[in-house]
Amino acid sequence: MYNILLIAAIFGFVLTTLLFSKKSTHPTATFFLGSFYFLLSVYALQAYIIDGGHLANCSWFFLWPLIPYNLFAVPVYFYFITIIEDEYKWKNTHLFWFLPFILSIIDVGYIYIQPDAVHSKLLHTAITNPQNRLHASYWLLNLDQHMFLRHLWQLLALLFVLPKLLSFISNNGTNKLKNLLNKWLLIFWFGLTLFAVFAIFYAVGNRLGHNIFEGGAIIPITLYMIMFLVGVIPIYFPTILQGYPKVIKMIPKDGQVGETKKNNKFGLHEEQVESKLKLLMDKKIYLKQDFDLTNLARELEIPAHQLSYFIKEHYGVNFTVYKNNLRIDYGKRLIHEGFLSTNTMDALALECGFASRSSFSKVFKNTTTLSPSEYDNKIKNND
């Protein structure tokens, strides 16, 4: 059972690394999401170490994690708000979400300034009787009260953003990328809510000294399973590792004062992307053998799925057709300039970025209805 926690921790650390290392169209939201998964990973790992009976070999992994754990509500709240409002703005009222964190600093600091025997006693109890470790008394709160408070705050944050989330989801529902984001946000919100609710049940049960439900292992097992699912569910939404659909607010071109219009490209500033794309096409990077959607997206520093969406919306074709059109246009230009008078058809194919003459001829005919040779003869006859 405890191996579930270890797997969740591993997945969480991998996801955290990906979120922090990859470029994103929404870096602030990515940061908050990565921060949450880092906290969840440490949380799952410590639960595996303590509940699995490994704390004696990892005694350093004790007490201090209480401080970051009590930040759970912070990245959760800021992540949803940043996505929903399309920006991050600090407000003094946000200090409310840091209350469990502040209390944990006080309590952990209090234990650390006590004689070593106090810390050693708490550690010994956690090692020998991990099931009752939540009864440990600090200064302001017991450990089970800290657990209850941090997940209560997490639940409050989720309930607070729910009306805004539902309103956000109801807008622009016909967009494919937006629909994907809506689905992810709903599932993520639901998973976090279950996590918070069962963690509260677990803390209350420990506080009262008996289990709320029949069967003593139901709540902890369910809680572990929820942690596991929350940790691995992004596998179903790989695009969140690359960025988030983002609504770009645009000022009307006529300069009149009024309500701003919203660009429905979700994450793509058309003018910026088009300008960068034109510069790259002027360099003829489409002639390289390795020219593909992934490499072009890397050059433009935007997610590949959003570049694909941009090309489809802006040019009315998919990426493969877009690439082939560029290459065939270049090939036609070379033929007009007399390239085939001094070079072979194989050389022309390679010059246009194709791996073989056959693939070049096939794409050329599909695009122009003529083979390269027929196109060359037609030009000569017209001359």
Side-chain angles (χ1 to χ4, degrees):
M1 177 180 69
Y2 300 123
N3 289 335
I4 293 176
L5 295 170
L6 181 59
I7 295 172
I10 293 173
F11 269 101
F13 283 127
V14 171
L15 181 59
T16 299
T17 302
L18 291 173
L19 287 169
F20 284 154
S21 61
K22 282 183 173 290
K23 291 183 178 179
S24 168
T25 55
H26 218 316
T28 306
T30 304
F31 171 78
F32 289 131
L33 186 62
S35 299
F36 167 77
Y37 273 104
F38 175 76
L39 293 177
L40 181 67
S41 302
V42 178
Y43 194 54
L45 181 59
Q46 191 190 43
Y48 166 77
I49 289 174
I50 296 180
D51 293 339
H54 306 291
L55 186 57
N57 299 320
C58 305
S59 58
W60 55 271
F61 208 159
F62 180 70
L63 187 60
W64 63 266
L66 176 64
I67 296 176
Y69 294 163
N70 281 8
L71 281 171
F72 260 122
V74 176
V76 167
Y77 173 78
F78 287 155
Y79 170 69
F80 280 103
I81 289 298
T82 303
I83 290 291
I84 293 169
E85 298 183 353
D86 201 36
E87 61 183 351
Y88 167 72
K89 286 185 178 180
W90 170 259
K91 300 176 182 178
N92 291 336
T93 53
H94 290 164
L95 287 172
F96 171 78
W97 304 112
F98 288 86
L99 180 60
F101 173 70
I102 295 171
L103 295 176
S104 67
I105 291 178
I106 296 173
D107 267 353
V108 170
Y110 172 78
I111 295 299
Y112 276 123
I113 63 175
Q114 297 303 303
D116 291 341
V118 176
H119 180 274
S120 298
K121 182 179 179 180
L122 291 173
L123 177 60
H124 177 73
T125 301
I127 292 174
T128 58
N129 194 359
Q131 298 303 319
N132 291 324
R133 74 181 187 278
L134 293 180
H135 296 309
S137 178
Y138 292 167
W139 184 30
L140 298 177
L141 301 173
N142 292 340
L143 190 54
D144 51 14
Q145 292 173 325
H146 276 290
M147 183 178 185
F148 172 81
L149 189 64
R150 67 167 166 263
H151 291 294
L152 175 62
W153 250 240
Q154 178 185 339
L155 182 60
L156 289 176
L158 290 165
L159 294 177
F160 184 86
V161 302
L162 181 58
K164 296 182 179 181
L165 177 61
L166 295 177
S167 176
F168 175 80
I169 289 173
S170 66
N171 294 326
N172 304 105
T174 59
N175 182 274
K176 184 177 180 181
L177 289 177
K178 179 60 163 48
N179 287 336
L180 181 64
L181 178 63
N182 291 346
K183 188 176 181 180
W184 154 251
L185 291 176
L186 274 177
I187 293 177
F188 188 51
W189 184 94
F190 184 70
L192 293 179
T193 301
L194 282 180
F195 176 35
V197 168
F198 274 87
I200 290 172
F201 281 153
Y202 187 54
V204 171
N206 276 275
R207 182 63 180 169
L208 298 177
H210 62 83
N211 293 288
I212 298 177
F213 298 116
E214 293 294 331
I218 291 180
I219 292 183
I221 291 176
T222 305
L223 179 59
Y224 296 158
M225 286 300 301
I226 293 172
M227 289 174 64
F228 172 77
L229 292 175
V230 171
V232 302
I233 198 173
I235 295 175
Y236 187 71
F237 297 91
T239 54
I240 69 164
L241 301 178
Q242 299 173 314
Y244 304 89
K246 181 179 180 183
V247 179
I248 307 295
K249 294 180 180 179
M250 305 290 288
I251 302 298
K253 291 183 178 180
D254 56 15
Q256 296 179 358
V257 178
E259 184 178 355
T260 59
K261 298 180 181 179
K262 290 187 177 180
N263 185 338
N264 290 324
K265 298 308 178 185
F266 295 101
L268 301 172
H269 191 299
E270 279 194 79
E271 294 181 358
Q272 292 180 2
V273 175
E274 189 173 9
S275 177
K276 289 182 179 180
L277 192 59
K278 185 178 184 304
L279 289 175
L280 291 173
M281 295 307 104
D282 289 344
K283 295 179 181 179
K284 297 183 175 62
I285 68 168
Y286 54 84
L287 301 178
K288 295 180 180 180
Q289 290 287 333
D290 62 349
F291 179 73
D292 58 19
L293 182 65
T294 301
N295 288 333
L296 181 57
R298 187 180 299 115
E299 291 286 341
L300 293 171
E301 298 184 344
I302 63 175
H305 69 284
Q306 293 203 16
L307 174 59
S308 175
Y309 171 78
F310 173 82
I311 291 175
K312 181 70 175 177
E313 291 293 311
H314 201 71
Y315 297 102
V317 296
N318 60 34
F319 174 78
T320 300
V321 174
Y322 171 75
K323 174 183 69 176
N324 288 337
N325 286 344
L326 290 171
R327 289 177 170 180
I328 297 305
D329 285 345
Y330 183 70
K332 289 162 63 177
R333 188 158 66 248
L334 290 179
I335 293 174
H336 275 280
E337 294 172 356
F339 184 90
L340 290 176
S341 300
T342 56
N343 296 278
T344 64
M345 191 65 69
D346 292 289
L348 178 61
L350 292 174
E351 187 71 20
C352 293
F354 290 90
S356 66
R357 173 178 176 173
S358 60
S359 61
F360 170 64
S361 298
K362 181 180 179 180
V363 173
F364 195 99
K365 189 164 187 176
N366 288 338
T367 304
T368 65
T369 69
L370 298 172
S371 69
S373 298
E374 291 171 340
Y375 188 83
D376 184 40
N377 291 331
K378 180 180 178 181
I379 292 173
K380 289 178 179 179
N381 292 333
N382 290 337
D383 291 343

